[in-house]
mmCIF file of all heavy atoms in Angstrom:
data_model
loop_
_atom_site.group_PDB
_atom_site.id
_atom_site.type_symbol
_atom_site.label_atom_id
_atom_site.label_comp_id
_atom_site.label_asym_id
_atom_site.label_seq_id
_atom_site.Cartn_x
_atom_site.Cartn_y
_atom_site.Cartn_z
ATOM 1 N N THR A 294 4.669 -20.796 33.236
ATOM 2 C CA THR A 294 4.410 -21.445 31.975
ATOM 3 C C THR A 294 3.198 -20.704 31.351
ATOM 4 O O THR A 294 2.824 -19.625 31.777
ATOM 5 C CB THR A 294 3.921 -22.914 32.357
ATOM 6 O OG1 THR A 294 3.934 -23.617 31.079
ATOM 7 C CG2 THR A 294 2.628 -23.136 32.952
ATOM 8 N N CYS A 295 2.776 -21.252 30.234
ATOM 9 C CA CYS A 295 1.802 -20.607 29.362
ATOM 10 C C CYS A 295 0.723 -21.501 28.932
ATOM 11 O O CYS A 295 1.006 -22.770 28.882
ATOM 12 C CB CYS A 295 2.525 -19.942 28.134
ATOM 13 S SG CYS A 295 4.106 -19.031 28.487
ATOM 14 N N PRO A 296 -0.428 -20.978 28.410
ATOM 15 C CA PRO A 296 -1.423 -21.904 27.955
ATOM 16 C C PRO A 296 -0.981 -22.888 26.913
ATOM 17 O O PRO A 296 -1.525 -23.934 26.817
ATOM 18 C CB PRO A 296 -2.509 -20.868 27.465
ATOM 19 C CG PRO A 296 -2.419 -19.713 28.324
ATOM 20 C CD PRO A 296 -0.887 -19.596 28.531
ATOM 21 N N GLN A 297 -0.111 -22.406 25.981
ATOM 22 C CA GLN A 297 0.260 -23.285 24.977
ATOM 23 C C GLN A 297 0.946 -24.664 25.388
ATOM 24 O O GLN A 297 1.016 -25.548 24.787
ATOM 25 C CB GLN A 297 1.253 -22.549 23.948
ATOM 26 C CG GLN A 297 2.177 -21.675 24.467
ATOM 27 C CD GLN A 297 1.834 -20.338 24.662
ATOM 28 O OE1 GLN A 297 0.648 -20.053 25.230
ATOM 29 N NE2 GLN A 297 2.663 -19.321 24.369
ATOM 30 N N TYR A 298 1.507 -24.502 26.730
ATOM 31 C CA TYR A 298 2.104 -25.734 27.194
ATOM 32 C C TYR A 298 1.196 -26.557 28.053
ATOM 33 O O TYR A 298 1.441 -27.642 28.403
ATOM 34 C CB TYR A 298 3.443 -25.369 27.961
ATOM 35 C CG TYR A 298 4.323 -24.504 27.160
ATOM 36 C CD1 TYR A 298 4.539 -23.006 27.414
ATOM 37 C CD2 TYR A 298 4.940 -24.913 26.026
ATOM 38 C CE1 TYR A 298 5.298 -22.294 26.600
ATOM 39 C CE2 TYR A 298 5.678 -24.160 25.207
ATOM 40 C CZ TYR A 298 5.817 -22.823 25.436
ATOM 41 O OH TYR A 298 6.594 -21.903 24.682
ATOM 42 N N LEU A 299 0.034 -25.897 28.299
ATOM 43 C CA LEU A 299 -0.965 -26.611 29.290
ATOM 44 C C LEU A 299 -2.064 -27.165 28.447
ATOM 45 O O LEU A 299 -2.707 -28.100 28.856
ATOM 46 C CB LEU A 299 -1.499 -25.701 30.276
ATOM 47 C CG LEU A 299 -0.532 -25.144 31.281
ATOM 48 C CD1 LEU A 299 -1.344 -23.986 32.043
ATOM 49 C CD2 LEU A 299 -0.112 -26.198 32.327
ATOM 50 N N PHE A 300 -2.225 -26.657 27.209
ATOM 51 C CA PHE A 300 -3.425 -27.053 26.335
ATOM 52 C C PHE A 300 -3.064 -27.609 24.998
ATOM 53 O O PHE A 300 -3.853 -28.109 24.257
ATOM 54 C CB PHE A 300 -4.402 -25.931 26.184
ATOM 55 C CG PHE A 300 -4.820 -25.437 27.480
ATOM 56 C CD1 PHE A 300 -4.401 -24.184 28.081
ATOM 57 C CD2 PHE A 300 -5.777 -26.177 28.175
ATOM 58 C CE1 PHE A 300 -4.947 -23.752 29.268
ATOM 59 C CE2 PHE A 300 -6.324 -25.627 29.482
ATOM 60 C CZ PHE A 300 -5.805 -24.495 29.985
ATOM 61 N N LEU A 301 -1.837 -27.357 24.519
ATOM 62 C CA LEU A 301 -1.423 -27.886 23.163
ATOM 63 C C LEU A 301 -0.398 -28.888 23.313
ATOM 64 O O LEU A 301 0.250 -28.974 24.386
ATOM 65 C CB LEU A 301 -0.832 -26.740 22.349
ATOM 66 C CG LEU A 301 -1.854 -25.529 22.031
ATOM 67 C CD1 LEU A 301 -1.067 -24.395 21.342
ATOM 68 C CD2 LEU A 301 -3.106 -25.965 21.357
ATOM 69 N N THR A 302 -0.034 -29.637 22.219
ATOM 70 C CA THR A 302 1.099 -30.577 22.254
ATOM 71 C C THR A 302 1.804 -30.315 20.847
ATOM 72 O O THR A 302 1.333 -29.711 19.950
ATOM 73 C CB THR A 302 0.675 -32.095 22.411
ATOM 74 O OG1 THR A 302 0.104 -32.501 21.187
ATOM 75 C CG2 THR A 302 -0.150 -32.310 23.652
ATOM 76 N N ARG A 303 3.016 -31.028 20.831
ATOM 77 C CA ARG A 303 3.808 -30.848 19.560
ATOM 78 C C ARG A 303 2.974 -31.493 18.388
ATOM 79 O O ARG A 303 3.155 -31.094 17.164
ATOM 80 C CB ARG A 303 5.180 -31.584 19.668
ATOM 81 C CG ARG A 303 4.985 -33.222 19.736
ATOM 82 C CD ARG A 303 6.371 -33.726 19.963
ATOM 83 N NE ARG A 303 6.378 -35.214 20.272
ATOM 84 C CZ ARG A 303 6.458 -36.080 19.354
ATOM 85 N NH1 ARG A 303 6.623 -35.738 18.129
ATOM 86 N NH2 ARG A 303 6.411 -37.426 19.731
#
Side-chain angles (χ1 to χ4, degrees):
T294 191
C295 312
Q297 45 273 38
Y298 309 111
L299 296 170
F300 300 104
L301 302 176
T302 70
R303 71 184 170 93

